Amino acid sequence: MLNLSYRKAAASILMAALLLASGCTTNTQDSGSEPVSATGFMLDTVITVTLYDGLSNDTLDGALGVVSKYEQLLSKTIEGSDVWNINHARGKPTVVNEDTANVINTALKYSELCGGAFDITIGPASNLWDFKSSTPKVPDADELAAAISHVDYTKVQVEGSTVTLLDPEAEIDLGAIAKGYIADKVVEYLASRGVSSAIVNLGGNVYAMGSKGGNDWTVGLQDPFKRRETPIAAVKLKNKSVVTSGIYERFFKTEDGTFYHHILDPKTGCSVSNGLASVTIISDKSIDGDALTTSCFVLGLEEGMKLVESLEGVEAIFIDDNEQAFMTDGIGGENGIPYLTTDDLG
Ligand code: AMP
Ligand code: MG
């Protein structure tokens, strides 16, 4: 494990190198050999797909269509989605799309791997937090206690394409894994359309597809303590998923200054407070990155690092409250994934 402490430095040079973390354009456009890009608001976040070859507005529309299609299955708030149907079945078996069953099975695998730190039955607890409200409130302790008594991934049964909640009060929330799955599906779709160079950015869940004219992509990592799109560092890589979970995504501060964010400890239903500010996972599949960022965040630095080091082909960067970065051996170093700090860039 490598440990590195950041010194504050002007981010302007780094920003110049950062195409990815910073959101690209807002409209579909087509300008010869320039990349073309489309942005939409789906999955409760801003999504952007940018093509660097196979430039076609049809393909861009198709990519956004893929996001929309999976949102219709995996959202817990869209009435009639698979997840909505499961959550409203009062414990009865629900037949779902194969994709939904795949996502739930993968989620359960990660719950097992991390001893329940990752738990998609967080729904009853996550429902009590509204990070978007203009007057956000900390849920009542009794309500939270009642909610977490229904958080238990072992009560989710999947048999083929039939999902049953053995606790009828349980509720599934795929917020910590769906974006990863959907990013992989968008990449599959783009490949099927002949695209070999693209950036898929689902609200910070980034897939750097192929290469940029044979060179590495530079993917910025959000500074957990700064406004959106301000990088704290960057990695250079090809054909990889880069996902970050952090305290900055959805949060509020109470009048007494207590900070609450959206990554919840299944044991308490409250925001995890363990000294971590963000976890970034680099992997081949974005579903793994998404599940692991949340898992590792809840596990904390030591246990999270152990989990990542036990897995093949997965690298991680943990940033703590003191802006110190801790990373797996595959990042930095001579043969590792190049890691750029503001200092590296002068
Ligand atoms: P992410 O940004 O990928 O870490 O996902 C955070 C979202 O996943 C939250 O907004 C909740 O919807 C849900 N969530 C929060 N805590 C957990 C947890 N411990 N396990 C699984 N899902 C969670
Ligand atoms: Mg996640």
Side-chain angles (χ1 to χ4, degrees), residues 176 245 290-291 293-294:
S245 280
D290 200 359
T293 52
T294 315

Side-chain angles (χ1 to χ4, degrees), residues 73-77 81-88 94 96 100-101 103-105 107-108 118-127 150-153 155-158 162-178:
L73 291 178
L74 304 176
S75 161
K76 74 175 167 132
T77 52
S81 76
D82 277 351
V83 171
W84 195 93
N85 289 341
I86 295 166
N87 289 345
H88 290 81
T94 305
V96 298
T100 310
V103 179
I104 294 174
N105 275 325
L108 297 176
F118 181 87
D119 192 326
I120 52 166
T121 62
I122 199 76
S126 62
N127 284 343
H150 301 292
V151 176
D152 179 356
Y153 71 91
K155 300 276 166 56
V156 183
Q157 200 177 64
V158 186
T162 302
V163 180
T164 310
L165 295 181
L166 301 178
D167 173 355
E169 303 288 322
E171 272 190 52
I172 286 180
D173 171 352
L174 297 179
I177 190 167

